[in-house]
Amino acid sequence: MSGPKRIALIHALRHSPPPIEAAFARLWPGQVLMNLLDDSLSADLAREGKLTPRMTERFLTLARYAAGTGADGILFTCSAFGPPIEACARDLAPLPVLKPNEAMIEEAVKVGTRIGLLVTFPGTIPSMTPEFPPGITVVPKVAEGALAALDAGDLETHDRLAEEAARDLADCDAIALGQFSLARAKQHVERATGKPVLTTPDSAVLKLKRLLGA
């Protein structure tokens, strides 16, 4: 295999870069990572309450810019924007363009048919739930207040609220963590539920590694 791969990471939350960079460092070190952040996207979605054609255009602009830098693959880390990311994948095919959740969902449905979906950004639920295949029961749960705690730099409260919310998902076969920033709470959720817990960063890095022939 020739040299490291250039991976563009496109974010809509400023908390997303550290967990995905940590996952690359653990699972596929030595790659060239490029971070693009527009944190107004998540704020605009929260304010407008729905995805709009203008948001899709903004995603296409970001993805085309990333491709123009010579990226070998693009990973979006914003799980509330499934349809715009799909538009980018179509636009840039055959360049690998991954939604943040797709690799984690592929892993989760191998574990069972009842999957808990824990999120800190409520807009993730209507975007991400349809990505699960037919026959899978998705049980969504918002860790209320956790994202605000993270925004305030209170990591301990973020993790505690995630753990408390996860207890409602203990009857599921596996728990999927819907935000990249939730990956830090994986052990807390495992402790609360006793079930397999899957994170978007780890699953995404491993899928990119496979797709790019590493």
Side-chain angles (χ1 to χ4, degrees), residues 17-101:
I20 187 61
E21 289 173 343
F24 269 101
R26 258 194 348 270
L27 300 170
W28 196 18
Q31 308 316 302
V32 178
L33 303 182
M34 164 192 174
N35 287 290
L36 288 175
L37 168 66
D38 179 358
D39 59 0
S40 72
L41 283 164
S42 53
D44 292 346
L45 177 59
R47 187 183 65 254
E48 296 185 31
K50 63 178 181 179
L51 295 168
T52 65
R54 177 69 186 128
M55 286 180 191
T56 297
E57 285 302 318
R58 291 164 68 186
F59 271 79
L60 286 165
T61 298
L62 289 166
R64 289 165 181 163
Y65 175 82
T69 69
D72 296 297
I74 298 174
L75 172 63
F76 285 91
T77 67
C78 33
S79 42
F81 295 93
I85 297 169
E86 291 166 5
C88 294
R90 291 191 296 270
D91 184 70
L92 294 174
L95 183 75
V97 176
L98 267 63
K99 288 187 287 189
N101 332 303

Side-chain angles (χ1 to χ4, degrees), residues 119-122 142-152 154 157-162:
V119 305
T120 54
F121 183 65
V142 180
E144 299 286 356
L147 188 56
L150 195 63
D151 286 338
D154 188 350
T157 296
H158 169 271
D159 296 349
R160 176 178 57 78
L161 292 171

Side-chain angles (χ1 to χ4, degrees), residues 192-208:
T193 64
K195 296 297 169 67
V197 177
L198 300 163
T199 72
T200 39
D202 285 8
S203 299
V205 170
L206 292 172
K207 180 166 184 175
L208 272 173

